[in-house]
Amino acid sequence: MVDGASLGDRLLSALVIVSTIPLFMLVGKNFLPVDDQSQFEVNLRTPEGSTLSSTAALSERIAADVRKLPGVTDTLVTIGSGQQQIVNLASIYVKLTPIEERSTSQIDLMLRVRSEILAKYQKEFPNQLRTSLNAVAAISGGGFRNTDIQFVIGGPDLDKLTKYSDDLLAKMKTIPDVVDPDSTLITGKPELRVVIDRARAADLGVRVGDIAQSLNTLVAGQKVSTFNAGTINTTYVCARSASFAPTPKV
């Protein structure tokens, strides 16, 4: 014999179990919870061949626009960080007021940066800038960005990798919920080759290594000395005069 109270409890339990299925479909899901950390990063890559000064100028313009948004307290521009010291790669750290002191969430501010600020510069420099936004990662490294989804494509043929990467990017850009699709494959970097007249160099007593060192100093500069005064460390670099290196516009 099953009394009415016991049968009612079983029916209630069954209803609770069944109701979890539609509720699960309604609840937002993610790999990791979206946490309002009161900080995020804006990543920027200017065209290959851009100088440090042109990248810095554009980064500062973007940072100045970001600081105008409500809830933003500070920005910090970093260019050429990492072992490769790529001068056309910049990141802008954005610091927000504490969450209890602002009415706009971190996610909403990131959306405004993407739709209002970065979109403006994308129109000003069409097909030249590569931009993205992401939360500040607690642990970073390994050559990967702090994104929700990443694909790794490998192979010995660079031309095929370029084609596959371009095809995937074009497809992802058609998906409405995908933002900031990008690839770590960088092609089209300007290159200048120097052919040495070895016979003439030999007649003049100039070694090939001396020519290579001089060109390296001309193009990249060379650290020649350091000076320490208390807690201040100054590095002296020998580089070409700005009059011999006109800065191209981005």
Side-chain angles (χ1 to χ4, degrees), residues 53-116:
S53 58
S54 62
T55 303
L58 183 58
S59 301
E60 291 294 348
R61 287 177 59 190
I62 296 176
D65 289 342
V66 172
R67 289 194 297 271
K68 296 177 183 178
L69 295 177
V72 177
T73 61
D74 303 282
T75 58
L76 175 63
V77 176
T78 304
I79 302 174
S81 61
Q83 294 182 345
Q84 294 182 327
Q85 297 181 345
I86 303 174
V87 298
N88 66 317
L89 185 62
S91 66
I92 305 172
Y93 170 78
V94 182
K95 179 64 177 176
L96 309 178
T97 57
I99 186 172
E100 62 273 8
E101 298 180 9
R102 52 184 161 85
S103 57
T104 307
S105 68
Q106 173 184 311
I107 297 299
D108 290 338
L109 285 172
M110 292 174 69
L111 291 175
R112 289 192 61 182
V113 171
R114 180 182 290 111
S115 61
E116 298 177 14

CSV table of all heavy atoms in Angstrom, one decimal, residues 53-116:
chain,number,residue,atom,x,y,z
A,53,SER,N,57.4,54.4,-32.9
A,53,SER,CA,56.8,55.7,-32.7
A,53,SER,C,55.4,55.7,-33.2
A,53,SER,O,54.5,56.2,-32.6
A,53,SER,CB,57.6,56.8,-33.3
A,53,SER,OG,57.8,56.6,-34.7
A,54,SER,N,55.2,55.1,-34.4
A,54,SER,CA,53.8,55.1,-35.0
A,54,SER,C,52.9,54.2,-34.2
A,54,SER,O,51.7,54.6,-34.0
A,54,SER,CB,53.9,54.7,-36.5
A,54,SER,OG,54.4,53.4,-36.6
A,55,THR,N,53.4,53.1,-33.8
A,55,THR,CA,52.6,52.2,-32.9
A,55,THR,C,52.2,52.9,-31.6
A,55,THR,O,51.1,52.8,-31.1
A,55,THR,CB,53.3,50.9,-32.7
A,55,THR,OG1,53.6,50.2,-33.9
A,55,THR,CG2,52.4,49.9,-31.9
A,56,ALA,N,53.2,53.5,-31.0
A,56,ALA,CA,52.9,54.2,-29.7
A,56,ALA,C,51.9,55.3,-29.9
A,56,ALA,O,51.0,55.5,-29.1
A,56,ALA,CB,54.2,54.8,-29.2
A,57,ALA,N,52.0,56.1,-31.0
A,57,ALA,CA,51.1,57.2,-31.2
A,57,ALA,C,49.6,56.7,-31.3
A,57,ALA,O,48.7,57.3,-30.7
A,57,ALA,CB,51.5,58.0,-32.5
A,58,LEU,N,49.4,55.6,-32.1
A,58,LEU,CA,48.1,55.1,-32.3
A,58,LEU,C,47.6,54.5,-31.0
A,58,LEU,O,46.4,54.6,-30.6
A,58,LEU,CB,48.1,54.1,-33.4
A,58,LEU,CG,46.7,53.5,-33.8
A,58,LEU,CD1,45.7,54.6,-34.2
A,58,LEU,CD2,46.9,52.5,-34.9
A,59,SER,N,48.4,53.8,-30.3
A,59,SER,CA,48.0,53.2,-29.0
A,59,SER,C,47.6,54.2,-28.0
A,59,SER,O,46.6,54.0,-27.3
A,59,SER,CB,49.2,52.3,-28.4
A,59,SER,OG,49.6,51.3,-29.3
A,60,GLU,N,48.3,55.3,-27.9
A,60,GLU,CA,48.0,56.4,-27.0
A,60,GLU,C,46.7,57.0,-27.4
A,60,GLU,O,45.9,57.4,-26.5
A,60,GLU,CB,49.1,57.4,-27.0
A,60,GLU,CG,50.4,56.9,-26.3
A,60,GLU,CD,50.3,56.6,-24.8
A,60,GLU,OE1,49.2,57.0,-24.2
A,60,GLU,OE2,51.2,56.0,-24.3
A,61,ARG,N,46.4,57.1,-28.7
A,61,ARG,CA,45.1,57.7,-29.1
A,61,ARG,C,43.9,56.8,-28.6
A,61,ARG,O,42.9,57.3,-28.1
A,61,ARG,CB,45.1,57.8,-30.6
A,61,ARG,CG,45.9,58.9,-31.2
A,61,ARG,CD,45.9,58.9,-32.7
A,61,ARG,NE,44.5,59.1,-33.2
A,61,ARG,CZ,44.1,58.9,-34.5
A,61,ARG,NH1,45.1,58.6,-35.4
A,61,ARG,NH2,42.9,59.1,-34.8
A,62,ILE,N,44.1,55.5,-28.8
A,62,ILE,CA,43.1,54.6,-28.4
A,62,ILE,C,42.9,54.6,-26.9
A,62,ILE,O,41.8,54.6,-26.3
A,62,ILE,CB,43.4,53.1,-28.8
A,62,ILE,CG1,43.4,53.1,-30.4
A,62,ILE,CG2,42.5,52.1,-28.3
A,62,ILE,CD1,43.8,51.7,-31.0
A,63,ALA,N,44.1,54.6,-26.1
A,63,ALA,CA,44.0,54.7,-24.7
A,63,ALA,C,43.3,55.9,-24.2
A,63,ALA,O,42.5,55.9,-23.2
A,63,ALA,CB,45.4,54.6,-24.1
A,64,ALA,N,43.5,57.1,-24.8
A,64,ALA,CA,42.9,58.3,-24.4
A,64,ALA,C,41.4,58.2,-24.6
A,64,ALA,O,40.6,58.7,-23.8
A,64,ALA,CB,43.5,59.5,-25.3
A,65,ASP,N,40.9,57.6,-25.7
A,65,ASP,CA,39.5,57.4,-25.9
A,65,ASP,C,38.9,56.5,-24.9
A,65,ASP,O,37.8,56.7,-24.4
A,65,ASP,CB,39.2,56.8,-27.3
A,65,ASP,CG,39.5,57.9,-28.4
A,65,ASP,OD1,39.5,59.1,-28.1
A,65,ASP,OD2,39.6,57.5,-29.6
A,66,VAL,N,39.6,55.4,-24.5
A,66,VAL,CA,39.1,54.5,-23.5
A,66,VAL,C,39.0,55.2,-22.1
A,66,VAL,O,38.0,54.9,-21.4
A,66,VAL,CB,40.1,53.3,-23.4
A,66,VAL,CG1,39.7,52.4,-22.2
A,66,VAL,CG2,40.1,52.5,-24.7
A,67,ARG,N,39.9,56.1,-21.8
A,67,ARG,CA,39.8,56.7,-20.5
A,67,ARG,C,38.6,57.7,-20.4
A,67,ARG,O,38.2,58.1,-19.3
A,67,ARG,CB,41.1,57.5,-20.3
A,67,ARG,CG,42.3,56.7,-20.0
A,67,ARG,CD,43.5,57.5,-19.4
A,67,ARG,NE,43.9,58.5,-20.3
A,67,ARG,CZ,44.9,58.3,-21.2
A,67,ARG,NH1,45.5,57.1,-21.3
A,67,ARG,NH2,45.3,59.3,-22.1
A,68,LYS,N,38.0,58.0,-21.5
A,68,LYS,CA,36.8,58.8,-21.5
A,68,LYS,C,35.5,58.1,-21.1
A,68,LYS,O,34.5,58.7,-20.7
A,68,LYS,CB,36.6,59.5,-22.8
A,68,LYS,CG,37.7,60.4,-23.3
A,68,LYS,CD,37.5,61.0,-24.7
A,68,LYS,CE,38.6,61.9,-25.1
A,68,LYS,NZ,38.4,62.4,-26.5
A,69,LEU,N,35.6,56.8,-21.1
A,69,LEU,CA,34.4,56.0,-20.7
A,69,LEU,C,34.2,56.0,-19.2
A,69,LEU,O,35.1,56.1,-18.4
A,69,LEU,CB,34.6,54.5,-21.2
A,69,LEU,CG,34.7,54.2,-22.7
A,69,LEU,CD1,35.0,52.8,-22.9
A,69,LEU,CD2,33.5,54.7,-23.4
A,70,PRO,N,32.9,56.0,-18.8
A,70,PRO,CA,32.6,56.0,-17.4
A,70,PRO,C,33.1,54.8,-16.7
A,70,PRO,O,32.9,53.7,-17.2
A,70,PRO,CB,31.1,56.1,-17.3
A,70,PRO,CG,30.6,55.6,-18.6
A,70,PRO,CD,31.7,55.9,-19.6
A,71,GLY,N,33.8,54.9,-15.6
A,71,GLY,CA,34.3,53.8,-14.8
A,71,GLY,C,35.7,53.4,-15.1
A,71,GLY,O,36.3,52.6,-14.3
A,72,VAL,N,36.3,54.1,-16.1
A,72,VAL,CA,37.7,53.8,-16.4
A,72,VAL,C,38.6,54.8,-15.6
A,72,VAL,O,38.4,56.0,-15.7
A,72,VAL,CB,38.0,53.9,-17.9
A,72,VAL,CG1,39.5,53.7,-18.1
A,72,VAL,CG2,37.2,52.9,-18.6
A,73,THR,N,39.6,54.3,-14.8
A,73,THR,CA,40.4,55.2,-14.0
A,73,THR,C,41.8,55.3,-14.6
A,73,THR,O,42.4,56.4,-14.6
A,73,THR,CB,40.6,54.6,-12.6
A,73,THR,OG1,41.2,53.3,-12.7
A,73,THR,CG2,39.2,54.5,-11.9
A,74,ASP,N,42.4,54.3,-15.2
A,74,ASP,CA,43.8,54.3,-15.7
A,74,ASP,C,43.9,53.4,-16.9
A,74,ASP,O,43.2,52.4,-17.0
A,74,ASP,CB,44.8,53.9,-14.6
A,74,ASP,CG,44.6,54.7,-13.3
A,74,ASP,OD1,45.1,55.8,-13.3
A,74,ASP,OD2,44.0,54.2,-12.4
A,75,THR,N,44.9,53.7,-17.7
A,75,THR,CA,45.3,52.9,-18.8
A,75,THR,C,46.9,52.8,-18.8
A,75,THR,O,47.5,53.8,-18.4
A,75,THR,CB,44.8,53.4,-20.2
A,75,THR,OG1,45.3,54.7,-20.4
A,75,THR,CG2,43.3,53.4,-20.2
A,76,LEU,N,47.4,51.7,-19.3
A,76,LEU,CA,48.8,51.5,-19.4
A,76,LEU,C,49.2,50.9,-20.7
A,76,LEU,O,48.7,49.8,-21.0
A,76,LEU,CB,49.4,50.7,-18.2
A,76,LEU,CG,50.9,50.3,-18.3
A,76,LEU,CD1,51.7,51.6,-18.2
A,76,LEU,CD2,51.3,49.4,-17.2
A,77,VAL,N,49.9,51.6,-21.6
A,77,VAL,CA,50.3,51.1,-22.9
A,77,VAL,C,51.6,50.4,-22.8
A,77,VAL,O,52.6,51.0,-22.3
A,77,VAL,CB,50.3,52.3,-23.9
A,77,VAL,CG1,50.8,51.7,-25.3
A,77,VAL,CG2,49.0,52.9,-24.0
A,78,THR,N,51.7,49.2,-23.3
A,78,THR,CA,52.9,48.4,-23.4
A,78,THR,C,53.2,48.0,-24.8
A,78,THR,O,52.3,47.5,-25.5
A,78,THR,CB,52.9,47.2,-22.5
A,78,THR,OG1,52.6,47.5,-21.2
A,78,THR,CG2,54.2,46.4,-22.5
A,79,ILE,N,54.4,48.3,-25.3
A,79,ILE,CA,54.7,48.0,-26.7
A,79,ILE,C,56.0,47.1,-26.8
A,79,ILE,O,56.9,47.4,-26.1
A,79,ILE,CB,54.9,49.3,-27.6
A,79,ILE,CG1,53.7,50.1,-27.5
A,79,ILE,CG2,55.3,48.9,-29.0
A,79,ILE,CD1,53.8,51.5,-28.2
A,80,GLY,N,56.0,46.1,-27.6
A,80,GLY,CA,57.1,45.3,-27.8
A,80,GLY,C,57.5,44.4,-26.6
A,80,GLY,O,58.7,44.2,-26.4
A,81,SER,N,56.5,44.0,-25.8
A,81,SER,CA,56.8,43.2,-24.7
A,81,SER,C,57.1,41.7,-25.2
A,81,SER,O,56.8,41.4,-26.3
A,81,SER,CB,55.7,43.2,-23.7
A,81,SER,OG,54.5,42.7,-24.3
A,82,GLY,N,57.7,41.0,-24.3
A,82,GLY,CA,58.1,39.6,-24.7
A,82,GLY,C,59.5,39.5,-25.3
A,82,GLY,O,60.2,40.5,-25.5
A,83,GLN,N,59.9,38.3,-25.5
A,83,GLN,CA,61.3,38.0,-25.9
A,83,GLN,C,61.5,38.6,-27.3
A,83,GLN,O,62.6,39.0,-27.6
A,83,GLN,CB,61.6,36.5,-25.9
A,83,GLN,CG,61.6,35.9,-24.5
A,83,GLN,CD,61.9,34.5,-24.5
A,83,GLN,OE1,61.9,33.8,-25.5
A,83,GLN,NE2,62.3,33.9,-23.3
A,84,GLN,N,60.5,38.5,-28.2
A,84,GLN,CA,60.7,39.0,-29.6
A,84,GLN,C,60.7,40.5,-29.7
A,84,GLN,O,61.2,41.1,-30.7
A,84,GLN,CB,59.7,38.4,-30.5
A,84,GLN,CG,59.8,36.9,-30.6
A,84,GLN,CD,58.7,36.4,-31.6
A,84,GLN,OE1,57.6,36.9,-31.7
A,84,GLN,NE2,59.1,35.3,-32.3
A,85,GLN,N,60.1,41.2,-28.7
A,85,GLN,CA,60.1,42.7,-28.7
A,85,GLN,C,59.6,43.2,-30.1
A,85,GLN,O,60.2,44.0,-30.7
A,85,GLN,CB,61.5,43.2,-28.4
A,85,GLN,CG,62.0,42.9,-27.0
A,85,GLN,CD,63.4,43.5,-26.7
A,85,GLN,OE1,64.1,43.9,-27.6
A,85,GLN,NE2,63.7,43.4,-25.4
A,86,ILE,N,58.4,42.8,-30.4
A,86,ILE,CA,57.8,43.2,-31.7
A,86,ILE,C,57.3,44.6,-31.5
A,86,ILE,O,56.3,44.9,-30.7
A,86,ILE,CB,56.7,42.3,-32.1
A,86,ILE,CG1,57.2,40.8,-32.2
A,86,ILE,CG2,56.0,42.7,-33.4
A,86,ILE,CD1,56.2,39.8,-32.4
A,87,VAL,N,57.8,45.6,-32.3
A,87,VAL,CA,57.5,47.0,-32.1
A,87,VAL,C,56.1,47.4,-32.6
A,87,VAL,O,55.6,48.5,-32.4
A,87,VAL,CB,58.6,47.9,-32.7
A,87,VAL,CG1,59.9,47.7,-32.1
A,87,VAL,CG2,58.7,47.7,-34.2
A,88,ASN,N,55.5,46.5,-33.4
A,88,ASN,CA,54.1,46.9,-33.9
A,88,ASN,C,53.0,46.1,-33.2
A,88,ASN,O,51.9,46.1,-33.6
A,88,ASN,CB,54.0,46.6,-35.4
A,88,ASN,CG,54.1,45.1,-35.8
A,88,ASN,OD1,54.9,44.4,-35.2
A,88,ASN,ND2,53.3,44.7,-36.7
A,89,LEU,N,53.4,45.6,-32.0
A,89,LEU,CA,52.5,44.8,-31.2
A,89,LEU,C,52.3,45.5,-29.9
A,89,LEU,O,53.3,45.7,-29.1
A,89,LEU,CB,52.9,43.4,-31.0
A,89,LEU,CG,52.0,42.5,-30.2
A,89,LEU,CD1,50.7,42.3,-31.0
A,89,LEU,CD2,52.6,41.1,-30.0
A,90,ALA,N,51.1,46.0,-29.5
A,90,ALA,CA,50.9,46.8,-28.3
A,90,ALA,C,49.7,46.2,-27.5
A,90,ALA,O,48.8,45.5,-28.1
A,90,ALA,CB,50.6,48.2,-28.7
A,91,SER,N,49.7,46.4,-26.2
A,91,SER,CA,48.6,46.1,-25.4
A,91,SER,C,48.3,47.3,-24.5
A,91,SER,O,49.2,48.0,-24.1
A,91,SER,CB,48.9,44.8,-24.5
A,91,SER,OG,50.0,45.1,-23.6
A,92,ILE,N,47.0,47.5,-24.2
A,92,ILE,CA,46.6,48.6,-23.4
A,92,ILE,C,45.9,47.9,-22.2
A,92,ILE,O,44.8,47.3,-22.3
A,92,ILE,CB,45.6,49.5,-24.1
A,92,ILE,CG1,46.3,50.0,-25.4
A,92,ILE,CG2,45.2,50.7,-23.2
A,92,ILE,CD1,45.4,50.8,-26.3
A,93,TYR,N,46.5,48.1,-21.0
A,93,TYR,CA,45.8,47.6,-19.8
A,93,TYR,C,44.8,48.7,-19.3
A,93,TYR,O,45.2,49.9,-19.2
A,93,TYR,CB,46.9,47.3,-18.7
A,93,TYR,CG,46.3,47.1,-17.3
A,93,TYR,CD1,45.8,45.8,-17.0
A,93,TYR,CD2,46.3,48.1,-16.4
A,93,TYR,CE1,45.3,45.6,-15.7
A,93,TYR,CE2,45.8,47.8,-15.1
A,93,TYR,CZ,45.3,46.6,-14.8
A,93,TYR,OH,44.8,46.3,-13.5
A,94,VAL,N,43.6,48.3,-19.0
A,94,VAL,CA,42.6,49.2,-18.6
A,94,VAL,C,42.1,48.8,-17.2
A,94,VAL,O,41.7,47.7,-16.9
A,94,VAL,CB,41.4,49.1,-19.6
A,94,VAL,CG1,40.3,50.1,-19.1
A,94,VAL,CG2,41.8,49.4,-21.0
A,95,LYS,N,42.2,49.8,-16.3
A,95,LYS,CA,41.8,49.6,-14.9
A,95,LYS,C,40.5,50.4,-14.7
A,95,LYS,O,40.3,51.5,-15.0
A,95,LYS,CB,42.9,50.2,-14.0
A,95,LYS,CG,42.6,50.1,-12.5
A,95,LYS,CD,42.5,48.6,-12.0
A,95,LYS,CE,42.2,48.5,-10.5
A,95,LYS,NZ,42.0,47.1,-10.1
A,96,LEU,N,39.6,49.7,-14.0
A,96,LEU,CA,38.2,50.2,-13.7
A,96,LEU,C,38.1,50.5,-12.2
A,96,LEU,O,38.9,50.0,-11.4
A,96,LEU,CB,37.1,49.2,-14.2
A,96,LEU,CG,37.2,48.7,-15.6
A,96,LEU,CD1,36.1,47.7,-15.8
A,96,LEU,CD2,37.2,49.8,-16.6
A,97,THR,N,37.1,51.3,-11.9
A,97,THR,CA,36.8,51.6,-10.5
A,97,THR,C,36.2,50.3,-9.9
A,97,THR,O,35.7,49.4,-10.6
A,97,THR,CB,35.7,52.7,-10.4
A,97,THR,OG1,34.6,52.3,-11.2
A,97,THR,CG2,36.3,54.0,-10.9
A,98,PRO,N,36.3,50.2,-8.6
A,98,PRO,CA,35.7,48.9,-8.0
A,98,PRO,C,34.3,48.7,-8.4
A,98,PRO,O,33.5,49.6,-8.7
A,98,PRO,CB,35.8,49.2,-6.5
A,98,PRO,CG,37.0,50.2,-6.4
A,98,PRO,CD,36.9,51.0,-7.6
A,99,ILE,N,33.9,47.4,-8.5
A,99,ILE,CA,32.6,47.1,-9.0
A,99,ILE,C,31.4,47.7,-8.2
A,99,ILE,O,30.4,48.0,-8.8
A,99,ILE,CB,32.5,45.5,-9.0
A,99,ILE,CG1,31.2,45.1,-9.7
A,99,ILE,CG2,32.6,45.0,-7.6
A,99,ILE,CD1,31.1,43.6,-9.9
A,100,GLU,N,31.6,47.9,-6.9
A,100,GLU,CA,30.6,48.5,-6.1
A,100,GLU,C,30.4,50.0,-6.4
A,100,GLU,O,29.4,50.6,-5.9
A,100,GLU,CB,30.8,48.2,-4.6
A,100,GLU,CG,32.0,48.8,-4.1
A,100,GLU,CD,33.2,47.9,-4.2
A,100,GLU,OE1,33.1,46.9,-4.9
A,100,GLU,OE2,34.3,48.2,-3.6
A,101,GLU,N,31.4,50.6,-7.1
A,101,GLU,CA,31.3,52.1,-7.3
A,101,GLU,C,30.9,52.4,-8.7
A,101,GLU,O,30.9,53.6,-9.0
A,101,GLU,CB,32.7,52.7,-7.0
A,101,GLU,CG,33.2,52.5,-5.5
A,101,GLU,CD,34.5,53.1,-5.3
A,101,GLU,OE1,35.0,53.8,-6.2
A,101,GLU,OE2,35.1,52.9,-4.2
A,102,ARG,N,30.5,51.5,-9.5
A,102,ARG,CA,30.1,51.8,-10.9
A,102,ARG,C,28.9,51.0,-11.2
A,102,ARG,O,28.6,49.9,-10.7
A,102,ARG,CB,31.2,51.5,-11.9
A,102,ARG,CG,31.8,50.1,-11.8
A,102,ARG,CD,32.9,49.9,-12.8
A,102,ARG,NE,33.8,48.8,-12.4
A,102,ARG,CZ,33.5,47.5,-12.8
A,102,ARG,NH1,32.5,47.2,-13.5
A,102,ARG,NH2,34.3,46.5,-12.4
A,103,SER,N,28.1,51.6,-12.1
A,103,SER,CA,26.8,51.0,-12.6
A,103,SER,C,27.0,50.2,-13.8
A,103,SER,O,26.1,49.4,-14.2
A,103,SER,CB,25.8,52.1,-12.8
A,103,SER,OG,26.3,53.0,-13.8
A,104,THR,N,28.1,50.3,-14.5
A,104,THR,CA,28.3,49.5,-15.8
A,104,THR,C,29.3,48.4,-15.5
A,104,THR,O,30.3,48.6,-14.9
A,104,THR,CB,28.9,50.5,-16.9
A,104,THR,OG1,28.1,51.6,-17.0
A,104,THR,CG2,29.0,49.7,-18.2
A,105,SER,N,28.9,47.2,-16.0
A,105,SER,CA,29.8,46.0,-15.8
A,105,SER,C,31.0,46.1,-16.7
A,105,SER,O,31.1,46.8,-17.6
A,105,SER,CB,29.0,44.8,-16.0
A,105,SER,OG,28.7,44.6,-17.4
A,106,GLN,N,32.0,45.3,-16.3
A,106,GLN,CA,33.2,45.1,-17.1
A,106,GLN,C,32.9,44.7,-18.5
A,106,GLN,O,33.4,45.2,-19.5
A,106,GLN,CB,34.2,44.2,-16.4
A,106,GLN,CG,35.4,43.8,-17.2
A,106,GLN,CD,36.3,42.8,-16.6
A,106,GLN,OE1,36.6,42.9,-15.4
A,106,GLN,NE2,36.6,41.8,-17.3
A,107,ILE,N,32.0,43.7,-18.6
A,107,ILE,CA,31.6,43.2,-20.0
A,107,ILE,C,31.0,44.2,-20.8
A,107,ILE,O,31.3,44.4,-22.0
A,107,ILE,CB,30.6,42.0,-19.8
A,107,ILE,CG1,31.3,40.8,-19.1
A,107,ILE,CG2,30.2,41.5,-21.2
A,107,ILE,CD1,32.5,40.3,-19.8
A,108,ASP,N,30.1,45.1,-20.2
A,108,ASP,CA,29.5,46.1,-21.0
A,108,ASP,C,30.5,47.2,-21.5
A,108,ASP,O,30.4,47.7,-22.6
A,108,ASP,CB,28.4,46.8,-20.2
A,108,ASP,CG,27.2,45.9,-20.0
A,108,ASP,OD1,27.0,45.0,-20.8
A,108,ASP,OD2,26.4,46.1,-19.0
A,109,LEU,N,31.5,47.5,-20.6
A,109,LEU,CA,32.5,48.4,-21.0
A,109,LEU,C,33.4,47.8,-22.1
A,109,LEU,O,33.8,48.6,-23.0
A,109,LEU,CB,33.4,48.8,-19.8
A,109,LEU,CG,32.7,49.7,-18.8
A,109,LEU,CD1,33.6,49.9,-17.5
A,109,LEU,CD2,32.5,51.1,-19.4
A,110,MET,N,33.7,46.6,-22.0
A,110,MET,CA,34.4,45.9,-23.1
A,110,MET,C,33.7,46.0,-24.4
A,110,MET,O,34.3,46.2,-25.5
A,110,MET,CB,34.8,44.5,-22.7
A,110,MET,CG,35.8,44.4,-21.5
A,110,MET,SD,36.0,42.7,-21.0
A,110,MET,CE,36.9,42.0,-22.4
A,111,LEU,N,32.4,45.8,-24.4
A,111,LEU,CA,31.6,45.8,-25.6
A,111,LEU,C,31.6,47.3,-26.2
A,111,LEU,O,31.6,47.4,-27.4
A,111,LEU,CB,30.1,45.4,-25.3
A,111,LEU,CG,29.9,43.9,-24.9
A,111,LEU,CD1,28.5,43.7,-24.5
A,111,LEU,CD2,30.3,43.1,-26.1
A,112,ARG,N,31.6,48.3,-25.3
A,112,ARG,CA,31.6,49.7,-25.8
A,112,ARG,C,33.0,50.0,-26.4
A,112,ARG,O,33.0,50.6,-27.4
A,112,ARG,CB,31.3,50.6,-24.6
A,112,ARG,CG,29.9,50.6,-24.1
A,112,ARG,CD,29.6,51.8,-23.2
A,112,ARG,NE,29.9,53.1,-23.9
A,112,ARG,CZ,29.7,54.3,-23.3
A,112,ARG,NH1,29.4,54.3,-22.0
A,112,ARG,NH2,30.0,55.4,-24.0
A,113,VAL,N,34.0,49.5,-25.8
A,113,VAL,CA,35.3,49.7,-26.4
A,113,VAL,C,35.4,49.1,-27.8
A,113,VAL,O,35.9,49.7,-28.8
A,113,VAL,CB,36.4,49.1,-25.5
A,113,VAL,CG1,37.8,49.1,-26.2
A,113,VAL,CG2,36.5,49.9,-24.2
A,114,ARG,N,34.9,47.9,-27.9
A,114,ARG,CA,34.9,47.2,-29.2
A,114,ARG,C,34.0,47.9,-30.3
A,114,ARG,O,34.4,48.0,-31.4
A,114,ARG,CB,34.5,45.7,-29.0
A,114,ARG,CG,34.5,44.9,-30.3
A,114,ARG,CD,34.0,43.5,-30.2
A,114,ARG,NE,34.9,42.7,-29.4
A,114,ARG,CZ,34.7,42.2,-28.2
A,114,ARG,NH1,33.5,42.5,-27.6
A,114,ARG,NH2,35.6,41.5,-27.5
A,115,SER,N,32.8,48.2,-29.9
A,115,SER,CA,31.9,48.7,-30.9
A,115,SER,C,32.0,50.2,-31.2
A,115,SER,O,31.7,50.7,-32.3
A,115,SER,CB,30.4,48.5,-30.4
A,115,SER,OG,30.2,49.1,-29.1
A,116,GLU,N,32.5,51.0,-30.2
A,116,GLU,CA,32.6,52.4,-30.3
A,116,GLU,C,34.0,52.9,-30.7
A,116,GLU,O,34.2,53.8,-31.5
A,116,GLU,CB,32.1,53.2,-29.1
A,116,GLU,CG,30.6,52.9,-28.7
A,116,GLU,CD,30.2,53.5,-27.4
A,116,GLU,OE1,31.0,54.4,-26.9
A,116,GLU,OE2,29.1,53.2,-26.9
